[in-house]
Amino acid sequence: MRIIRAKDYKDMSEKAASIIWAQMLLKKNSVLGLATGGTVLGIYEILCEKYMEGELDFSSVKTLNLDEYVGLEGRHPQSYRHYMDKNLFEKVNILKNNTFLPNGLAEDLKRECKDYDETIRQLGPIDLQLLGLGRNGHIGFNEPDDHFEDNTHVRRLNETTIKDNSRFFEMGEEVPKSAITMGIKPIMESKAVLLAVSGVEKAKALKAVLNGPVTPSVPGSILGKHENLIVVADLDALMHVG
Ligand code: GLP
């Protein structure tokens, strides 16, 4: 495990973006595992800038996103498909057909989970998996539980997660209660994992991830077993870590 210490959110974003940038320079047709949420927004912003400056080429890149809300269509402003289109895909030269997210509107969700695992299998292993960290230690939407779920599955969201994510929704608008998420297996089989963490509210979860023990009650703690984990965190997030 490598821990890269950043001064603040901006510094964390720059350092994490530079790792993705390097990955894309090293392998033009990288398969990137992508995340959503507030933490990674700054990273996407920098990648878009680098693209505009002619430094980055997404034309051969393929992406697999971690998760999607159940019941939100792709055009819904809070769907993760919309988030990815708006914050990255529509701003760079990636081919839309090379961007994959689970379909939260699928009629048969079980089938959709199987199909997404098959897509991951065909494209994988993921070269670099970007992850944020939930305040309760979740990764993707792998929520605290009594076991780790290997494969793509539908997950009922915890109250803390619903509350945390409600900040992105309009007042009075309901946050979906469940989501489809990639399981732990493809994350652990990624060639490298880049965990981006910022802010005091993540400090406890980050400490549990970095110091262990590995437990499904803190899903991110499994990352401690990954051979090539890169953590980029700011000083606020690292406040409980020696
Ligand atoms: C969401 C996403 C996760 C993300 C996490 C942290 O629930 N499903 O992939 O890492 O929350 O989000 P944020 O960066 O907004 O704190």
Side-chain angles (χ1 to χ4, degrees):
M1 173 191 315
R2 276 162 293 183
I3 303 176
I4 298 175
R5 289 166 189 270
K7 282 198 298 282
D8 50 23
Y9 178 75
K10 186 167 172 279
D11 192 29
M12 181 282 293
S13 304
E14 282 165 2
K15 289 184 159 80
S18 70
I19 291 166
I20 300 177
W21 182 14
Q23 170 65 43
M24 289 174 63
L25 290 179
L26 288 168
K27 188 176 173 196
K28 266 180 84 72
N29 60 346
S30 287
V31 177
L32 300 178
L34 296 180
T36 50
T39 309
V40 294
L41 271 178
I43 299 173
Y44 293 144
E45 217 172 283
I46 294 165
L47 293 180
C48 293
E49 278 165 24
K50 291 286 166 214
Y51 166 74
M52 290 300 283
E53 289 162 11
E55 302 280 357
L56 274 180
D57 176 16
F58 286 80
S59 61
S60 314
V61 167
K62 293 194 170 89
T63 62
L64 282 162
N65 261 81
L66 286 165
D67 43 20
E68 179 60 282
Y69 287 117
V70 167
L72 294 193
E73 61 169 317
R75 280 169 308 178
H76 189 286
Q78 297 315 328
S79 76
Y80 286 163
R81 164 51 79 184
H82 186 264
Y83 171 109
M84 291 308 304
D85 286 348
K86 193 180 66 176
N87 295 306
L88 185 66
F89 299 155
E90 284 170 2
K91 295 184 171 171
V92 299
N93 66 335
I94 198 162
L95 301 174
K96 192 97 186 227
N97 285 346
N98 284 342
T99 67
F100 299 88
L101 281 94
N103 174 12
L105 274 191
E107 262 180 43
D108 183 345
L109 289 170
K110 269 203 173 142
R111 176 86 259 155
E112 176 61 18
C113 292
K114 283 216 160 64
D115 290 351
Y116 201 60
D117 278 333
E118 181 54 24
T119 306
I120 299 170
R121 204 188 57 75
Q122 280 175 18
L123 267 63
I126 294 164
D127 289 300
L128 179 65
Q129 174 67 58
L130 173 64
L131 292 176
L133 185 64
R135 204 157 50 95
N136 63 3
H138 73 230
I139 48 176
F141 272 130
N142 289 273
E143 293 275 37
D145 209 332
D146 58 7
H147 65 287
F148 290 108
E149 198 77 56
D150 271 347
N151 297 321
T152 301
H153 56 284
V154 175
R155 177 64 217 217
R156 213 183 146 71
L157 304 180
N158 285 18
E159 283 309 318
T160 42
T161 303
I162 292 175
K163 195 163 152 265
D164 288 350
N165 289 2
S166 66
R167 71 188 193 278
F168 297 112
F169 287 75
E170 299 278 330
M171 272 267 278
E173 200 181 7
E174 242 191 270
V175 183
K177 300 270 185 291
S178 55
I180 305 188
T181 182
M182 188 188 280
I184 294 296
K185 195 161 169 258
I187 297 175
M188 293 305 285
E189 285 174 355
S190 303
K191 293 181 194 163
V193 172
L194 174 59
L195 177 67
V197 196
S198 168
V200 280
E201 61 286 357
K202 301 290 175 67
K204 265 172 97 177
L206 183 59
K207 183 182 180 217
V209 167
L210 297 181
N211 294 1
V214 174
T215 163
S217 60
V218 183
S221 64
I222 189 88
L223 299 173
K225 286 181 173 257
H226 196 286
E227 282 187 356
N228 196 6
L229 170 66
I230 307 160
V231 180
V232 184
D234 64 17
L235 293 177
D236 283 347
L238 285 163
M239 65 188 288
H240 299 319
V241 180

